[in-house]
Amino acid sequence: MPQKLKLIMYKVRVILDTKEDVIRTILVNNAINLETLHFTIAKAFGFGGQEMASFYRTDSAWSQGEEIPLFNMAEAGVEVSMASEILNECLPQENNKLIYVYDFLHMWTFYVEVVEISNEKVIEPKIILSVGEIPSEAPEKEFKADDLDQDLEDDFDPYDDFDFNEY
């Protein structure tokens, strides 16, 4: 018989990536999945939760890692999705972090961090701190590619002497 998970409280701070301070602190229980956290964050910031979204694993320096999409994007087999990721397994310790992107057309980007784990019980998610108002438009994101001005012909030099007709 599987052991029943003891419900404990996670205090999660969510910060919108914008110039102004827009912060929500949310209490949730450790057994929710990331899909529930997605809807909780969306609601806390005044969104309907109907747009595509993803969480991204990250390190302490907020480097973006593996994507955890809202839906399973694999054509076959079991792949990761928000529904399959349980909070206490994904973020087992205080100070663990995720990046959350909501609405890929507007790229609302949030920093999500576990600021406290305690033995208090929380049944329903609850907003305990709300600072700032979400702007009417998403902040512009500047995406920079690696320097592609290098001479790409140099990458193919070893193949110049190769006779492809030989095979």
Side-chain angles (χ1 to χ4, degrees), residues 9-131:
M9 180 203 72
Y10 267 50
K11 184 185 291 184
V12 179
R13 180 161 300 128
V14 185
I15 302 171
L16 175 63
D17 184 13
T18 187
K19 291 178 184 172
E20 300 79 28
D21 287 340
V22 182
I23 302 166
R24 304 292 184 266
T25 302
I26 304 165
L27 298 181
V28 294
N29 74 57
N30 62 322
I32 66 168
N33 60 27
L34 290 186
E35 184 177 28
T36 300
L37 184 61
H38 149 71
F39 286 116
T40 301
I41 293 171
K43 181 179 176 184
F45 284 89
F47 297 120
Q50 304 306 312
E51 303 298 330
M52 285 299 297
S54 286
F55 284 99
Y56 295 88
R57 297 184 196 280
T58 185
D59 58 19
S60 60
W62 297 102
S63 301
Q64 186 172 315
E66 176 193 6
E67 180 180 13
I68 305 168
L70 181 57
F71 302 108
N72 182 347
M73 300 297 191
E75 292 182 13
V78 177
E79 286 291 322
V80 68
S81 72
M82 288 185 199
S84 67
E85 292 290 314
I86 305 302
L87 187 63
N88 71 329
E89 294 170 1
C90 189
L91 299 170
Q93 301 173 345
E94 290 180 5
N95 302 315
N96 285 166
K97 300 168 171 51
L98 291 170
I99 296 172
Y100 172 66
V101 177
Y102 178 80
D103 186 355
F104 291 115
L105 292 177
H106 296 100
M107 299 297 289
W108 293 99
T109 304
F110 301 85
Y111 300 103
V112 178
E113 180 175 11
V114 177
V115 293
E116 183 182 337
I117 299 173
S118 76
N119 287 326
E120 295 178 41
K121 287 188 178 182
V122 174
I123 304 301
E124 293 295 319
K126 181 163 86 171
I127 301 168
I128 61 166
L129 176 69
S130 182
V131 174

